Amino acid sequence: ELKVEQNPLFLSMQEGKNYTIYCNYSTTSDRLYWYRQDPGKSLESLFVLLSNGAVKQEGRLMASLDTKARLSTLHITAAVHDLSATYFCAVDVNSGYELNFGKGTSLLVTP
Amino acid sequence: ETGVTQSPTHLIKTRGQQVTLRCSSQSGHNTVSWYQQALGQGPQFIFQYYREEENGRGNFPPRFSGLQFPNYSSELNVNALELDDSALYLCASSLDEGYNTEAFFGQGTRLTVV
């Protein structure tokens, strides 16, 4: 059974600080997605990582994928309050057939 | 906005009843997947439809069933509702073009079973 583990599950950080969210998964995959979810809302696609060593950046967020270590990271640079949300990683092991999500990391950015 | 729309947005049902949730996929997308997201959890895959056929199923009982129509819109039906079925139900559409398949999610239907 595929396991997708995120850590931390809860993160409170001050504005301006940097932090990394980790996503480990238990089976071979070279496709990983990061989503953002605001309270009561749907999932917003942030990054699609399709190969080993893939790195993508958008604003203060940067995602990377190491398929050999079965690890993806989501790095937050100089956090701002607007980044407060829950972040999910999702692993695709069946070529778009099924996404396996982690439990999510609930991020709160405080002044 | 992803172009994926779900209806209704909120629904309250009584245990034992049946419910139908609807999803209109993004224009040009031929694949629809349904996910259940319990409070505080990540979404769980229910099933996927591709060109009107079920293309795969997660670990959900048969009382969860679905349909996909020729226009690629989809329905999720749940019979004999249980209290644990209370969740946010998310529909995701994608275009099956081989390797690069990205799913776009609708706003979800919040189902409460009482």
Side-chain angles (χ1 to χ4, degrees), chain B residues 1-113:
Chain B
E1 294 295 327
T2 62
V4 181
T5 58
Q6 294 184 240
S7 63
T9 55
H10 296 84
L11 199 54
I12 299 175
K13 288 286 189 178
T14 302
R15 189 172 49 184
Q17 286 187 315
Q18 178 265 343
V19 69
T20 298
L21 310 181
R22 294 178 175 83
C23 172
S24 293
S25 57
Q26 185 170 325
S27 177
H29 284 184
N30 56 14
T31 303
V32 172
S33 303
W34 286 91
Y35 290 81
Q36 180 196 66
Q37 186 179 19
L39 198 62
Q41 301 295 317
Q44 298 289 317
F45 174 72
I46 303 175
F47 43 57
Q48 182 184 82
Y49 279 82
Y50 171 68
R51 295 186 176 180
E52 303 178 60
E53 297 286 333
E54 186 177 291
N55 192 38
R57 188 178 185 92
N59 189 25
F60 280 81
R63 59 189 185 84
F64 286 78
S65 63
L67 284 173
Q68 187 180 31
F69 300 99
N71 66 355
Y72 301 131
S73 66
S74 179
E75 289 183 352
L76 164 65
N77 299 289
V78 187
N79 293 322
L81 283 167
E82 301 177 358
L83 296 179
D84 284 349
D85 295 333
S86 295
L88 180 67
Y89 288 85
L90 295 165
C91 161
S93 78
S94 56
L95 175 62
D96 185 355
E97 52 183 6
Y99 187 72
N100 185 11
T101 302
E102 183 177 0
F104 296 88
F105 285 81
Q107 82 279 16
T109 294
R110 175 72 64 185
L111 173 65
T112 302
V113 182

Side-chain angles (χ1 to χ4, degrees), chain A residues 5-65:
Chain A
E5 296 184 345
Q6 288 183 237
N7 70 83
L9 297 181
F10 299 95
L11 176 57
S12 178
M13 58 190 298
Q14 286 185 315
E15 284 187 328
K17 298 293 187 182
N18 305 331
Y19 207 85
T20 300
I21 299 170
Y22 297 89
C23 175
N24 290 92
Y25 52 98
S26 63
T27 193
T28 301
S29 175
D30 56 0
R31 295 203 286 183
L32 189 137
Y33 304 81
W34 284 96
Y35 289 90
R36 168 181 171 147
Q37 187 175 42
D38 291 293
K41 304 294 185 181
S42 188
L43 298 171
E44 174 191 354
S45 179
L46 294 175
F47 299 108
V48 180
L49 303 171
L50 297 177
S51 62
N52 185 42
V55 177
K56 291 194 174 180
Q57 183 164 4
E58 180 72 35
R60 300 175 187 274
L61 301 177
M62 183 174 70
S64 66
L65 178 62

Side-chain angles (χ1 to χ4, degrees), chain A residues 90-102:
Chain A
V91 177
D92 179 352
V93 297
N94 283 312
S95 302
Y97 154 70
E98 174 182 352
L99 293 179
N100 295 271
F101 284 82

